[in-house]
Amino acid sequence: MLPNTGRLAGCTVFITGASRGIGKAIALKAAKDGANIVIAAKTAQPHPKLLGTIYTAAEEIEAVGGKALPCIVDVRDEQQISDAVQKAVKKFGAYTIAKYGMSMYVLGMAEEFKGEIAVNALWPKTAIHTAATEMLGGPGIESQCRKVDIIADAAYSIFQKPKSFTGNFVIDENILKAEGIQNFDIYAIKPGHPLQPDFFLDEYPEAVSKKMESTGAVPEFKEEKPQPQPKPRSGAVEKTFRIVKDSLSDDIVKATQAIYLFELSGEDGGTWFLDLKSKGGNVGYGEPSDQADVVMSMSTDDFVKMFSGKLKPTMAFMSGKLKIKGNMALAIKLEKLMNQMNARL
């Protein structure tokens, strides 16, 4: 287990879902340093199947040396989030660390708040035993899981890093290896039993593990010299862009307001663009009429997989299959359009 250092004493940590499971484990780890914990969760009354409320969690937090502020928060309700933040500021002065459930948003927020707030994503390498896992996996699933303690220790490690550590997709086991942890059986529910890979990392586990060996994948913004492009040929890429074009509308253009350039390698590759600024939108081979806001580089095979829903953009980025240059917030907007394309590709 990663030992507590006391460095979070006086820090305020805003944690969603902190009434039980992973959220509560992170809260208790930080509380042992003397941190202030904002428990932002929906459960105020005891649940018939799930143990714990924001109030019982508050009692546990204060019992180990932390200060607690229980707040009823449904993360889908912006006003409840705002109210909880205001309560935190009023009681603790400010909050310095937050835990939310995020993925691609990490990239945009890390770029937007660079130098001010560090934004990172933390993923478990294996399934984690929680009440939710028990309900979804059924009897016996716990033997294939690790304890919530591994996520708490990994989050604690991230909390102690400087603001320059931002925009990372961190895997729990890898960051703890960097901290010197070698025996991971201490985190297993049943030491020695085969572990279930995490549901979101089972597509490219080896590639992700390599990429994250030290602390995680950091977005790269490198300028590359343009290469001569072959003439486009009819094929999967052309078909994909044709379907995208047929799906465009003024509403999509109005909601996106961005031009995307795709530098594709492999068969049917070359430079393609998706213009979601011009009226009605447009796609085509070659350079767009105006400067691109986002440049995405990848193979043609991965491009088709990504637009058809067979390859998650987050996983493509983490495994090095996708490189992004430009406005990361606009890159995230494209993911929503991809989701609309999936059913037709």
Side-chain angles (χ1 to χ4, degrees):
M1 297 286 185
L2 195 67
N4 279 69
T5 62
R7 292 181 185 175
L8 299 186
C11 289
T12 299
V13 189
F14 189 107
I15 306 180
T16 59
S19 60
R20 62 176 69 91
I22 292 173
K24 190 177 78 170
I26 295 173
L28 291 171
K29 183 72 177 181
K32 289 176 183 177
D33 269 12
N36 307 318
I37 311 295
V38 182
I39 308 163
K42 293 188 295 183
T43 310
Q45 300 296 326
H47 190 279
K49 295 183 178 180
L50 302 174
L51 295 176
T53 68
I54 57 175
Y55 304 111
T56 59
E59 291 174 357
E60 291 182 57
I61 287 165
E62 293 185 345
V64 297
K67 294 181 180 178
L69 174 62
C71 296
I72 300 174
V73 174
D74 184 334
V75 294
R76 297 168 295 183
D77 189 323
E78 186 176 351
Q79 187 57 53
Q80 288 188 15
I81 294 173
S82 178
D83 290 346
V85 170
Q86 292 304 315
K87 289 177 182 177
V89 171
K90 185 176 181 180
K91 180 166 184 175
F92 299 127
Y95 75 88
T96 51
I97 304 168
K99 173 262 176 188
Y100 292 95
M102 294 186 178
S103 54
M104 279 294 281
Y105 292 103
V106 168
L107 300 181
M109 294 175 71
E111 185 66 19
E112 182 179 355
F113 301 117
K114 186 182 291 184
E116 300 176 17
I117 301 173
V119 183
N120 297 285
L122 174 60
W123 296 85
K125 187 174 181 179
T126 71
I128 303 298
H129 186 240
T130 63
T133 308
E134 193 76 35
M135 291 175 68
L136 294 172
I141 188 65
E142 69 275 6
S143 63
Q144 304 174 50
C145 298
R146 282 175 170 165
K147 304 170 187 175
V148 292
D149 298 341
I150 190 170
I151 296 292
D153 282 358
Y156 185 78
S157 175
I158 294 173
F159 291 163
Q160 297 183 84
K161 294 190 178 297
K163 285 188 289 187
S164 58
F165 185 82
T166 188
N168 297 285
F169 287 83
V170 182
I171 295 177
D172 56 1
E173 182 176 306
N174 293 349
I175 196 169
L176 291 176
K177 281 181 179 178
E179 293 281 0
I181 301 295
Q182 296 180 346
N183 177 20
F184 286 88
D185 274 350
I186 59 174
Y187 295 114
I189 297 292
K190 188 175 181 180
H193 194 282
L195 297 169
Q196 169 71 41
D198 180 75
F199 306 113
F200 296 102
L201 292 185
D202 58 359
E203 194 167 1
Y204 303 103
E206 295 306 318
V208 172
S209 294
K210 269 188 180 178
K211 188 78 174 177
M212 308 304 236
E213 197 61 47
S214 54
T215 55
V218 182
E220 296 180 1
F221 298 88
K222 275 188 174 180
E223 291 298 328
E224 298 176 359
K225 293 182 179 179
Q227 300 294 323
Q229 305 294 346
K231 291 183 179 180
R233 290 173 286 183
S234 60
V237 173
E238 190 275 336
K239 179 184 176 182
T240 299
F241 275 107
R242 185 163 16 99
I243 294 174
V244 170
K245 185 175 182 179
D246 291 343
S247 303
L248 298 182
S249 67
D250 287 334
D251 288 339
I252 290 176
V253 171
K254 185 178 179 181
T256 310
Q257 287 296 293
I259 297 176
Y260 301 91
L261 188 70
F262 299 89
E263 296 178 341
L264 305 180
S265 59
E267 187 177 357
D268 301 326
T271 298
W272 298 74
F273 70 87
L274 171 58
D275 181 353
L276 295 179
K277 276 187 178 177
S278 303
K279 183 174 175 59
N282 193 22
V283 304
Y285 179 78
E287 300 284 340
S289 56
D290 292 323
Q291 184 176 355
D293 299 289
V294 180
V295 180
M296 296 186 172
S297 303
M298 62 196 313
S299 72
T300 54
D301 287 344
D302 289 331
F303 170 82
V304 174
K305 288 178 183 177
M306 193 167 71
F307 266 85
S308 61
K310 296 176 182 176
L311 173 60
K312 299 179 181 70
T314 304
M315 296 305 302
F317 181 85
M318 290 170 65
S319 61
K321 294 175 180 289
L322 168 64
K323 292 184 179 180
I324 303 174
K325 294 182 289 186
N327 189 315
M328 299 304 294
L330 292 177
I332 292 168
K333 280 190 175 183
L334 184 62
E335 186 177 12
K336 295 181 180 179
L337 179 61
M338 289 179 189
N339 292 333
Q340 296 175 23
M341 300 296 105
N342 290 351
R344 303 187 57 185
L345 291 166

